[in-house]
């Protein structure tokens, strides 16, 4: 630490210098890490709300009661989008990973109640690493469900893997690696038959699928309308367009939500209750998530989705037309992967890197990953032209590895 501190202007100048070296979060050349809405008025609102709540703390709902009410609104609004039945419950968390952790904890507790010491999470091979993280934290095991020819969880394989120890079966709606929906109806029915929970990972899809449906697209059943679905995670900080730090975990039965809450009194300062991993919780992500939902409303999300779908359809069409390149499976929305039997797509990725695009690499199948946001509408033609050119003119791969984080 500096002995005498530094003038604010000096600190800010260094922040500006450092930020200039980072990828531009508004530039629409990043894929996946940020979700630019392209809506300037929305971003201004978020910045103003963020400033007002920057120094709050959501730990104590009795002190920050308006914040607690906003949190409940966000949970209720998200619940209504995914048809959470009366009697359900949930909370806001810091992100998809924490939502998944909390759900796995509750599923572990349910399994332990029926005498299972090391409960298992049956999760598709394409499921997010957060399930393995939950198993690592909570003394559980992950059993991986192989994928079928369409890159969806293979239901027959899941049947052969289920056991007395299965606490929960996971279905992604939709998954990160390929943007493909798992067969939620079959997996949830199967979970219910075995007395296991069924967690639908809608961290990406939670704020996509309800609006795809309203845009008239075919969306297979995936939410609480499907019998057997016990938990859903949905991230407001992805396609909900709120800044980072906001996801919702929902339980079909609010008694299960109560098992998520940690209560403690054996210290000198009274009852301590906390619904998630963090103790002190930043207030701004709650207030900004609330503000975004209030401002956009259903119409706003549908409007944004129409524009996004237009970009998705154009880009997907252009990829389909690339000789030797194939889309993996049948992605339902803005996330898709490319593979090839004849081209080294990592080498294509190198050319795209050189042109300032931050396309992620996939390992299974080896190829490139694309996660489109509304702001990509502004660069769509350039993206497609560069991709076409990179496919036609690339050298050997420089050996850059797939790294998600
Ligand atoms: C399908 C899916 N689930 C869960 C997560 C975890 O979300 P977070 O990074 O907000 O913890 C992600 C992140 O990309 C995801 O794509």
């Amino acid at each position: 630490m500096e002995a005498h501190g530094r003038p604010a202007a000096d600190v800010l100048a260094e922040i500006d210098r450092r930020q200039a070296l980072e990828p531009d979060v508004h530039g629409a050349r990043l894929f996946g890490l940020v979700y630019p809405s392209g809506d300037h008025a929305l971003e201004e609102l978020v910045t103003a709300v963020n400033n007002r709540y920057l120094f709050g703390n959501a730990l104590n709902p009795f002190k920050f009661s308006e914040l607690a009410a906003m949190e409940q609104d966000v949970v209720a609004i998200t619940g209504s989008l995914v048809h959470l039945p009366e009697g359900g419950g949930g909370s806001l968390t810091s992100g998809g990973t924490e939502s998944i952790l909390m759900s796995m904890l509750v599923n572990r507790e349910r399994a332990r109640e029926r005498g299972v010491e090391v409960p298992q999470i049956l999760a598709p091979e394409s499921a997010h690493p957060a399930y393995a993280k939950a198993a690592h934290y909570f003394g559980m095991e992950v059993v991986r469900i192989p994928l079928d020819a369409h890159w969806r969880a293979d239901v027959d394989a899941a049947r052969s893997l289920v056991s007395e120890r299965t606490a929960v079966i996971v279905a992604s709606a939709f998954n990160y690696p390929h943007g493909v929906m798992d067969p939620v109806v079959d997996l949830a029915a199967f979970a219910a038959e075995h007395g296991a929970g069924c967690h639908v990972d809608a961290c990406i899809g939670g704020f996509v699928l309800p609006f795809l449906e309203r845009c008239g697209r075919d969306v297979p059943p995936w939410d609480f309308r499907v019998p057997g679905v016990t938990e859903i995670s949905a991230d407001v900080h992805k396609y909900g367009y709120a800044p980072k730090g906001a996801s919702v975990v929902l339980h079909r039965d609010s008694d299960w939500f109560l098992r998520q809450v940690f209560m403690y009194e054996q210290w000198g300062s009274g009852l301590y209750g906390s619904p998630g991993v963090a103790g002190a919780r930043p207030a701004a992500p709650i207030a900004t998530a609330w503000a975004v939902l209030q401002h956009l409303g259903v119409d706003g999300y549908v409007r944004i989705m129409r524009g996004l779908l237009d970009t998705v359809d154009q880009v997907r069409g252009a990829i389909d037309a690339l000789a030797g390149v194939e889309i993996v499976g049948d992605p339902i929305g803005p996330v898709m992967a490319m593979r090839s039997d004849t081209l080294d797509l990592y080498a294509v990725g190198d050319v795209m890197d050189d042109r300032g695009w931050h396309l992620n690499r996939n390992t299974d199948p080896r190829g490139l990953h694309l996660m489109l946001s509304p702001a990509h509408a502004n660069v769509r033609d350039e993206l497609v032209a560069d991709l076409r050119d990179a496919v036609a003119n690339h050298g050997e791969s420089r050996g850059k590895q797939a790294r998600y984080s």
Side-chain angles (χ1 to χ4, degrees):
M1 190 190 290
E2 302 268 344
H4 303 296
R6 294 163 63 185
D10 186 23
V11 174
L12 203 53
E14 181 167 345
I15 287 284
D16 285 345
R17 184 185 61 72
R18 286 175 183 253
Q19 200 186 19
L21 300 173
E22 312 272 22
D24 174 4
V25 293
H26 297 106
R29 289 192 168 246
L30 271 177
F31 299 86
L33 287 171
V34 294
Y35 298 75
S37 66
D39 181 333
H40 296 299
L42 181 69
E43 289 186 4
E44 272 173 24
L45 173 67
V46 163
T47 308
V49 174
N50 184 66
N51 288 346
R52 284 166 177 66
Y53 268 93
L54 195 53
F55 294 102
N57 185 350
L59 172 61
N60 187 334
F62 302 107
K63 290 273 185 272
F64 284 90
S65 54
E66 290 305 316
L67 201 57
M70 284 191 252
E71 174 167 359
Q72 278 172 17
D73 280 352
V74 174
V75 171
I77 291 167
T78 310
S80 75
L81 284 177
V82 304
H83 300 272
L84 180 70
E86 284 273 311
S91 71
L92 208 72
T93 69
S94 63
T97 300
E98 192 183 356
S99 289
I100 289 169
L101 289 177
M102 292 301 101
S103 167
M104 294 304 105
L105 180 68
V106 169
N107 276 284
R108 183 193 75 175
E109 293 308 285
R110 289 201 293 253
R112 286 219 171 136
E113 261 165 36
R114 48 181 179 85
V116 183
E117 210 170 302
V118 183
Q120 291 180 332
I121 302 168
L122 218 62
E125 284 175 357
S126 51
H128 191 270
Y131 297 95
K133 192 175 194 178
H136 178 64
Y137 281 9
F138 301 143
M140 303 172 82
E141 279 175 9
V142 173
V143 177
R144 299 175 79 224
I145 308 171
L147 306 183
D148 66 15
H150 308 286
W151 301 88
R152 304 153 15 119
D154 185 327
V155 180
D156 289 335
R159 279 186 195 285
S160 68
L161 293 169
V162 79
S163 80
E164 282 294 291
R165 289 169 61 202
T166 307
V168 56
I169 299 180
V170 174
S172 302
F174 38 93
N175 66 38
Y176 174 86
H178 318 119
V180 167
M181 297 281 281
D182 283 322
V184 176
V185 171
D186 292 345
L187 291 173
F190 177 51
E193 219 176 276
H194 286 271
C198 175
H199 178 110
V200 174
D201 181 357
C203 284
I204 319 178
F207 283 84
V208 172
L209 299 171
F211 304 113
L212 275 185
E213 203 179 322
R214 285 169 174 84
C215 288
R217 296 282 166 123
D218 251 358
V219 176
W222 65 277
D223 57 23
F224 282 111
R225 288 173 288 184
V226 176
V229 170
T230 54
E231 272 82 24
I232 290 181
S233 48
D235 293 0
V236 202
H237 73 192
K238 292 191 169 72
Y239 286 97
Y241 310 115
K244 288 292 174 246
S247 166
V248 175
V249 58
L250 296 164
H251 304 266
R252 185 183 282 277
D253 183 330
S254 54
D255 278 354
W256 300 337
F257 163 61
L258 293 179
R259 289 184 218 192
Q260 185 191 309
V261 181
F262 177 76
M263 300 286 226
Y264 191 77
E265 285 196 89
Q266 316 301 309
W267 69 324
S269 290
L271 180 64
Y272 175 98
S274 155
V277 174
R281 296 164 69 208
I286 298 175
T288 50
W290 183 88
V292 171
L293 293 175
Q294 297 298 317
H295 180 61
L296 287 179
V298 172
D299 288 354
Y301 279 106
V302 169
R303 173 178 47 78
I304 292 178
M305 183 53 69
R306 288 221 162 89
L308 177 58
L309 275 180
D310 196 38
T311 306
V312 169
D313 292 346
Q314 301 272 347
V315 172
R316 188 167 166 175
I319 295 171
D320 278 334
L322 291 171
V325 181
E326 216 181 276
I327 297 270
V328 178
D330 185 16
I332 191 164
V335 178
M336 62 194 82
M338 291 171 247
R339 64 178 293 278
S340 175
D341 287 330
T342 51
L343 302 168
D344 183 353
L345 289 179
Y346 281 21
V348 172
D350 291 343
V351 177
M352 295 299 278
D353 286 349
D354 292 343
R355 296 186 179 185
W357 301 102
H358 297 261
L359 287 182
N360 290 328
R361 275 97 173 136
N362 265 359
T363 50
D364 187 20
R366 184 179 159 96
L368 295 173
H369 185 267
L370 207 57
M371 194 162 197
L372 294 166
S373 287
H376 287 121
N378 305 327
V379 295
R380 185 188 68 204
D381 295 344
E382 194 191 346
L383 172 68
V384 165
D386 278 350
L387 200 52
R388 253 187 223 126
D389 201 37
V391 164
N393 303 295
H394 60 270
E396 294 276 299
S397 157
R398 293 196 288 256
K400 182 169 171 183
Q401 296 303 303
R403 288 239 159 74
Y404 177 73
S405 69

